[in-house]
Amino acid sequence: MRIYFTFDPRPDLKEPLVKQFPHVEFIFHARLDEEELEKADVLVTYGEDLNDSRIEIAKNLKWIFVASAGIEKMPAKAIAERNILVSNVRGIHKTPMAESILAHILSLKRALPFIYENKRNKVWDKKAQLSELNGSTALIIGPGAIGSEIGRLLQAFEVYTIGCNRSGEDAPFMNETYRIDELESQLPKAHIVISMLPSTPETKHLIKLDHFKLMRDDAIFMNFGRGNVVKTDVLIQALEQKLIFHAVLDVFEEEPLPLSSKLWEIDNVTISPHFSSHSSRYVERSLEIFKPSLEKWLNGETDVENKMNILRGY
Amino acid sequence: MRIYFTFDPRPDLKEPLVKQFPHVEFIFHARLDEEELEKADVLVTYGEDLNDSRIEIAKNLKWIFVASAGIEKMPAKAIAERNILVSNVRGIHKTPMAESILAHILSLKRALPFIYENKRNKVWDKKAQLSELNGSTALIIGPGAIGSEIGRLLQAFEVYTIGCNRSGEDAPFMNETYRIDELESQLPKAHIVISMLPSTPETKHLIKLDHFKLMRDDAIFMNFGRGNVVKTDVLIQALEQKLIFHAVLDVFEEEPLPLSSKLWEIDNVTISPHFSSHSSRYVERSLEIFKPSLEKWLNGETDVENKMNILRGY
């Protein structure tokens, strides 16, 4: 039984794993080596190092554990044809992403950019407008696992949370939930508008300039879902016309955001380089999901956590 | 009945107050005018515009409502001799201060200073160490009303909270509470150490270099209580020797922090100009406390909210 990791966890995470499964042969490489792949029964990967020919090489492979939420870059058809089990670490982004969202909102409310700038310039200045998150209303477009975690934290700050999803059915930690086609009626209420929408044909360019016109002029707009939900030009117009107070963007139509983009020049925008899911605890959490799954799998069970339908994509 | 405000609330806050009490004559000035003071039955003040002779001038004065938590600058003896009722807005700082504390912690954990700097330099760079607040341990020295509110919010982020107070008796939203003389044993456990201590003879220079030596080297130290709890030189040594990861300071031994202070030069410190209690909702909240108190007082009752013993100081 050979388990091949195509990334190399820290010793303090690797050693307990090896100890817990003494009859398993673990191989840890910082990148994929095809000779090792050929012998592997189980592959643990970030999911970006596979293609059709490598699936063919991996003739013993029975299970791919993807230490990532996305599987867009995996050769789905080849994996499905071989009937290889695939599971992932769905939900692992929930905590770091919700913390990043809260960090950005609180930073703007409590004037942290002003504090940091004055520190750099050695200026003692109390003349900032400090406001509060408490008592605000937040609209979360796409309240899935991450959006609900954001809702949970916002409610601790006594924020009123409104969700917007396809069905309009109640979502956890949302005070109210509406259908996406009711979005327009909810936008004027929100001090904070957060898009957590995935990239699908229906969500492409879903948020238009008219939506920004409906938002409060003191609103914070945040996109932490996928970049193509709003056209970059629309964002630039909304910010230049000061239709809203500030935008915080973790995702962009084009990534990395080109140096030529006007967004870099605009003051009332925060540019986060699509890393709000990153966390020093990422591998630790992945292994917390992997270990019980491996126990099961060694017992001949295949109903491991976060088992995926690779063709359906989730 | 004349009520004299020595500050001038926004129209949207002033008008409902005037309407609610049609039989009261309200006077609003942006600063104290002694001729008006002479005629006032009630004074609403931030508490920094009084002295012995003005109390003498205010011959009709029966109640001072202080729209501030501190009353250090008030002529306590003169007020007590005249038996003037004093009440304040204790607790009003709780929400904005707790939000500032959370903002600073989350900002450091989620690399916001790095994000802001890269935006300024138009750099797309994912190579930051993003960590999490989740699962940390926080030590709150002086968990009063504000410290408990911080504890409540930290617990929403699944932080383990340890309080340290004089008695060691349980404080709200603390998982454990210890006595101040047990501080040393608790310091090594904490990822975040927050001082909310007031300025008293016992707290002066209470935190010494040895305390910083006991802290984790990845600890964040925050002082949002009073500046003289730590000597500035001790802070500078702790930061220069990297005994801790970062300090966030809202209070200082000398305020404003002198331009000559070495603290301005040090990277791993955030300098907040003693304004973390500021909030655009401050006057609104003060009036929310004032209005029911005025109702009572007009009915001849004197047990208004936050009634103070001016000689005792709280």
Side-chain angles (χ1 to χ4, degrees), chain A residues 47-251:
Chain A
E48 303 197 338
D49 50 10
L50 291 176
N51 55 36
D52 287 345
S53 83
R54 283 178 166 183
I55 293 299
E56 203 171 317
I57 290 168
K59 57 185 193 318
N60 293 337
L61 195 61
K62 290 171 270 295
W63 174 24
I64 304 172
F65 181 89
V66 190
S68 149
I71 52 157
E72 295 97 341
K73 294 181 184 163
M74 283 173 62
K77 212 163 150 255
I79 293 168
E81 275 167 9
R82 281 269 306 281
N83 211 12
I84 295 168
L85 174 67
V86 178
S87 68
N88 75 352
V89 291
R90 195 166 53 232
I92 200 173
H93 299 313
K94 195 175 77 166
T95 298
M97 285 194 75
E99 288 195 5
S100 276
I101 298 261
L102 267 292
H104 283 287
I105 298 173
L106 287 166
S107 172
L108 292 173
K109 297 284 183 191
R110 307 304 298 156
L112 267 54
F114 174 88
I115 292 171
Y116 294 146
E117 198 188 328
N118 285 338
K119 167 64 164 40
R120 215 171 48 244
N121 300 326
K122 297 179 193 170
V123 170
W124 177 278
D125 182 1
K126 294 187 174 216
K127 285 186 205 69
Q129 261 294 354
L130 278 75
S131 58
E132 294 176 24
L133 175 54
N134 185 286
S136 303
T137 295
L139 179 64
I140 292 119
I141 313 174
I146 302 165
S148 291
E149 177 65 4
I150 296 164
R152 187 184 71 76
L153 292 174
L154 287 173
Q155 287 186 343
F157 289 84
E158 296 172 1
V159 171
Y160 192 85
T161 55
I162 302 174
C164 232
N165 57 24
R166 233 182 318 198
S167 66
E169 277 167 35
D170 280 354
F173 301 106
M174 297 296 132
N175 292 98
E176 300 177 52
T177 314
Y178 293 87
R179 286 193 317 273
I180 280 284
D181 61 24
E182 298 170 295
L183 180 60
E184 281 84 353
S185 65
Q186 302 308 310
L187 285 170
K189 300 181 187 171
H191 303 88
I192 304 154
V193 177
I194 307 170
S195 171
M196 299 306 296
L197 291 169
S199 178
T200 69
E202 298 101 72
T203 62
K204 191 174 176 185
H205 300 163
L206 183 136
I207 299 175
K208 305 199 189 309
L209 193 65
D210 280 343
H211 291 101
F212 286 100
K213 289 182 181 161
L214 286 168
M215 292 182 204
R216 296 171 58 103
D217 58 11
D218 60 359
I220 299 171
F221 171 76
M222 312 183 81
N223 190 2
F224 281 64
R226 280 295 177 261
N228 65 5
V229 166
V230 203
K231 270 192 187 167
T232 309
D233 285 347
V234 166
L235 274 170
I236 291 170
Q237 281 182 65
L239 292 166
E240 286 194 329
Q241 296 173 26
K242 305 221 185 284
L243 299 178
I244 58 169
F245 168 64
H246 197 98
V248 183
L249 309 172
D250 189 49
V251 291

Side-chain angles (χ1 to χ4, degrees), chain B residues 166-219:
Chain B
R166 234 182 315 201
S167 65
E169 276 166 35
D170 281 352
F173 301 106
M174 297 296 133
N175 291 100
E176 300 177 51
T177 313
Y178 293 87
R179 287 194 316 273
I180 279 284
D181 62 23
E182 298 170 295
L183 180 62
E184 282 82 354
S185 65
Q186 301 308 312
L187 284 171
K189 299 179 188 173
H191 303 88
I192 304 156
V193 178
I194 306 170
S195 170
M196 298 305 299
L197 290 169
S199 177
T200 69
E202 298 102 73
T203 62
K204 191 175 174 184
H205 299 163
L206 183 136
I207 299 174
K208 304 196 190 310
L209 194 66
D210 281 343
H211 291 102
F212 286 100
K213 288 180 181 160
L214 286 168
M215 293 183 205
R216 298 172 56 105
D217 58 11
D218 60 0

Side-chain angles (χ1 to χ4, degrees), chain B residues 15-221:
Chain B
E15 283 158 17
L17 172 71
V18 172
K19 250 186 210 149
Q20 192 181 332
F21 298 96
H23 302 301
V24 168
E25 195 167 351
F26 287 99
I27 299 100
F28 301 99
H29 281 166
R31 52 197 298 275
L32 188 139
D33 175 289
E34 295 189 350
E35 273 176 49
E36 274 304 333
L37 181 65
E38 201 178 335
K39 297 179 275 181
D41 298 286
V42 178
L43 182 69
V44 181
T45 169
Y46 284 130
E48 303 197 340
D49 49 12
L50 291 175
N51 56 35
D52 287 345
S53 83
R54 285 181 164 182
I55 293 299
E56 204 170 317
I57 288 168
K59 58 185 193 318
N60 294 336
L61 197 61
K62 290 171 271 294
W63 176 24
I64 303 172
F65 180 90
V66 191
S68 148
I71 51 158
E72 296 96 342
K73 294 182 185 163
M74 282 172 63
K77 212 162 147 260
I79 292 167
E81 276 168 9
R82 280 270 304 281
N83 211 13
I84 295 168
L85 174 68
V86 178
S87 67
N88 75 351
V89 292
R90 194 163 58 231
I92 202 173
H93 299 314
K94 194 175 80 164
T95 299
M97 286 194 75
E99 288 195 6
S100 275
I101 300 258
L102 267 290
H104 282 288
I105 299 172
L106 286 167
S107 172
L108 293 172
K109 297 285 183 190
R110 306 306 296 157
L112 266 53
F114 174 87
I115 292 171
Y116 294 146
E117 196 187 331
N118 285 338
K119 166 65 164 38
R120 216 171 47 244
N121 300 325
K122 297 181 193 170
V123 171
W124 177 278
D125 181 0
K126 295 187 174 216
K127 285 186 205 70
Q129 261 295 353
L130 278 75
S131 59
E132 293 175 25
L133 174 54
N134 185 287
S136 304
T137 294
L139 179 64
I140 291 119
I141 313 173
I146 302 166
S148 290
E149 177 64 4
I150 296 164
R152 188 185 70 77
L153 291 174
L154 287 173
Q155 287 186 343
F157 288 85
E158 296 171 0
V159 171
Y160 192 84
T161 55
I162 303 174
C164 231
N165 58 23
R166 234 182 315 201
S167 65
E169 276 166 35
D170 281 352
F173 301 106
M174 297 296 133
N175 291 100
E176 300 177 51
T177 313
Y178 293 87
R179 287 194 316 273
I180 279 284
D181 62 23
E182 298 170 295
L183 180 62
E184 282 82 354
S185 65
Q186 301 308 312
L187 284 171
K189 299 179 188 173
H191 303 88
I192 304 156
V193 178
I194 306 170
S195 170
M196 298 305 299
L197 290 169
S199 177
T200 69
E202 298 102 73
T203 62
K204 191 175 174 184
H205 299 163
L206 183 136
I207 299 174
K208 304 196 190 310
L209 194 66
D210 281 343
H211 291 102
F212 286 100
K213 288 180 181 160
L214 286 168
M215 293 183 205
R216 298 172 56 105
D217 58 11
D218 60 0
I220 298 172
F221 171 76

